[in-house]
């Protein structure tokens, strides 16, 4: 697994990076505490606001639901063949 966390563009870039990294690390800790072997989690990464899904960047007015599209956490399965 690879754990990815993203924020919207509200707030400072450094703060958003730390926030997303903290979220990714919390997800990793949760999975490990519920039986997922740490060897199955390649890494957890916080991208902050670096990979926005829309044009809601700093200084651009956007409705909350557009900002929320950018706030996401992903669990990426890197080797699907090993599952089956």
């Amino acid at each position: 697994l690879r754990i990815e966390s993203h924020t919207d563009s509200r707030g400072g870039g450094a703060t958003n990076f730390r926030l997303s990294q903290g979220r990714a690390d919390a997800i990793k800790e949760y999975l490990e505490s519920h039986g997922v072997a740490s060897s199955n989690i390649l890494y957890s990464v916080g991208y902050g606001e670096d990979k926005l899904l829309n044009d809601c960047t700093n200084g651009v007015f956007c409705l909350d639901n557009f900002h929320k599209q950018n706030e996401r956490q992903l669990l990426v399965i890197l080797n699907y063949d090993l599952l089956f």
Side-chain angles (χ1 to χ4, degrees):
L1 293 176
R2 179 178 68 221
I3 301 166
E4 299 179 358
S5 181
H6 304 266
T7 65
D8 62 25
S9 64
R10 296 178 285 189
T15 300
N16 284 337
F17 173 76
R18 283 191 306 275
L19 178 64
S20 64
Q21 187 62 55
R23 288 176 179 167
D25 292 340
I27 292 168
K28 180 180 179 183
E29 290 173 17
Y30 175 85
L31 291 173
E32 289 173 344
S33 72
H34 284 78
V36 176
S38 59
S39 61
N40 288 333
I41 302 173
L42 184 59
Y43 59 89
S44 58
V45 61
Y47 288 108
E49 58 188 74
D50 286 348
K51 296 187 176 192
L52 299 174
L53 296 176
N54 52 38
D55 294 325
C56 292
T57 60
N58 290 331
V60 174
F61 173 78
C62 285
L63 298 172
D64 274 347
N65 51 333
F66 290 114
H67 279 297
K68 289 190 184 300
Q69 289 176 350
N70 293 316
E71 297 175 12
R72 63 200 187 278
Q73 282 58 242
L74 304 171
L75 298 177
V76 180
I77 299 172
L78 298 171
N79 195 340
Y80 182 79
D81 292 334
L82 291 178
L83 294 176
F84 299 99

